[in-house]
Amino acid sequence: MHGDLRAWVGALRPGPVGYRRTEVLRGGLGALAGIALAGLTASAVPGGPAGLPWIVAPMGATAVLLFAAPASPLAQPWPVLAGNTVSTLVGVAAGKLVDDVTLAAAVAVGVAIPLMMVLRCVHPPGGACALFTAVGGAAVHDHGWAFVLWPVGVDTLVLLLVAALVNNLTGRPYPHVPEPPPPAGADAPPTERVGLRTEDVRAAMDRLDRGLDVMPGDVLALVREAEAHALDRRLGQLRVGALMARDVRTVQPQETLYRARMLMNQHAVKALPVVTEDRRVVGIVTVHDLFNLDVAALDPVSKVMSSPVTTVGVDTPVSELVGLMADRGLRHLPVLDDDGRLAGIVTRAELVAVLHRALVGS
């Protein structure tokens, strides 16, 4: 009993997630513009009785999701549009078929929720649309089935359009689409084969059976970010600049493959960054490029170099190298300084050595 009470008290505390200033501004200004434009648009559509509101109260809840939580599955276009309109349709039907207002409200919400679940368009403000419509009074009753399209449909559609515009212009892609999972099986990257995959998260969510309103791909991305943060903490927030080799042998694009081979043999290296005269990296040439391809010794390096080449900055956390080198199979990464010029190179051997010291403690 006391444990349950403590749990309820704990649930009343503020959540652990804080909002950045840009997110707060996006939420407030986006809702301001969305609600205003929705009301103005609906007011310009002729045909409704004088007592009918141009914008209905549930649109405020829709605005909260669209502008404060646009990545939520409950805030995506299909749940928003279908959830509001289908639930309003149910509310109109309940108001016409059930004389008692209280019972009509209960029936409207009780039918709207499972219908949204079946249609995969669960949107919390939809329940409010059903309730509002069922008890809306004479104006809503006189408008009848048209209430689904005006004002609810018009309001919802305008809010969606404004949300897409505001979110995308402020750096928050909408509609939200999680990153696609890498291919399964032998072609999957190493960390994907031995670690979590999207289907693992989905299976866990099914087993929990708690109606978690989050996309499996987003959970997987969150877990990976947490793992990277934990690894960065374990490494003491080590940066690439402390790990890289600074004495880097390079070639220029116009130099011959013979010279590149000579440099590799003399200095026992397996890759050479290809740079311009001002040390801008334009490519990379490896042992594989020089010795396993059918090229002539006097051909220019630019003929076989890999370009564009993946690079990292001197301030890049070493933890980020794990994904680059393991998942993408990269063995050599040129390191750039703050001006974008070559500052060094990091290889998989250095990364393995650092990880060994950090994780094994030797």
Side-chain angles (χ1 to χ4, degrees), residues 300-323:
V301 169
S302 59
K303 185 174 181 178
V304 300
M305 71 180 186
S306 298
S307 181
V309 59
T310 301
T311 61
V312 293
V314 291
D315 292 326
T316 301
V318 171
S319 58
E320 292 186 13
L321 298 182
V322 176

Side-chain angles (χ1 to χ4, degrees), residues 222-240:
L222 179 63
V223 170
R224 286 177 175 167
E225 284 295 323
E227 289 175 341
H229 185 272
L231 180 59
D232 191 31
R233 172 172 45 80
R234 187 73 180 268
L235 293 173
Q237 296 184 341
L238 185 65
R239 295 297 183 258
V240 170

Side-chain angles (χ1 to χ4, degrees), residues 53-71:
W54 293 332
I55 191 163
V56 292
M59 295 302 115
T62 293
V64 172
L65 286 171
L66 287 175
F67 298 104

Side-chain angles (χ1 to χ4, degrees), residues 230-310:
L231 180 59
D232 191 31
R233 172 172 45 80
R234 187 73 180 268
L235 293 173
Q237 296 184 341
L238 185 65
R239 295 297 183 258
V240 170
L243 174 68
M244 68 183 185
R246 297 179 181 273
D247 185 18
V248 187
R249 302 300 170 179
T250 64
V251 290
Q252 295 186 6
Q254 71 276 10
E255 293 189 79
T256 65
L257 296 179
Y258 173 79
R259 173 167 170 74
R261 287 172 178 167
M262 184 179 64
L263 287 173
M264 285 187 181
N265 286 330
Q266 288 179 346
H267 300 282
V269 295
K270 297 181 179 180
L272 298 170
V274 183
V275 299
T276 59
E277 292 185 358
D278 60 349
R279 296 184 68 79
R280 302 281 181 180
V281 178
V282 295
I284 192 168
V285 62
T286 67
V287 170
H288 173 82
D289 299 327
L290 296 183
F291 293 94
N292 295 328
L293 299 179
D294 185 17
V295 292
L298 297 181
D299 283 339
V301 169
S302 59
K303 185 174 181 178
V304 300
M305 71 180 186
S306 298
S307 181
V309 59
T310 301

Side-chain angles (χ1 to χ4, degrees), residues 12-23:
L12 295 176
R13 297 173 182 170
V17 179
Y19 292 97
R20 294 188 292 270
R21 181 178 300 178
T22 54
E23 293 174 329

Side-chain angles (χ1 to χ4, degrees), residues 81-99:
L81 186 59
N84 280 350
T85 55
V86 168
S87 298
T88 302
L89 190 67
V90 172
V92 173
K96 288 180 174 294
L97 297 175
V98 181
D99 293 331

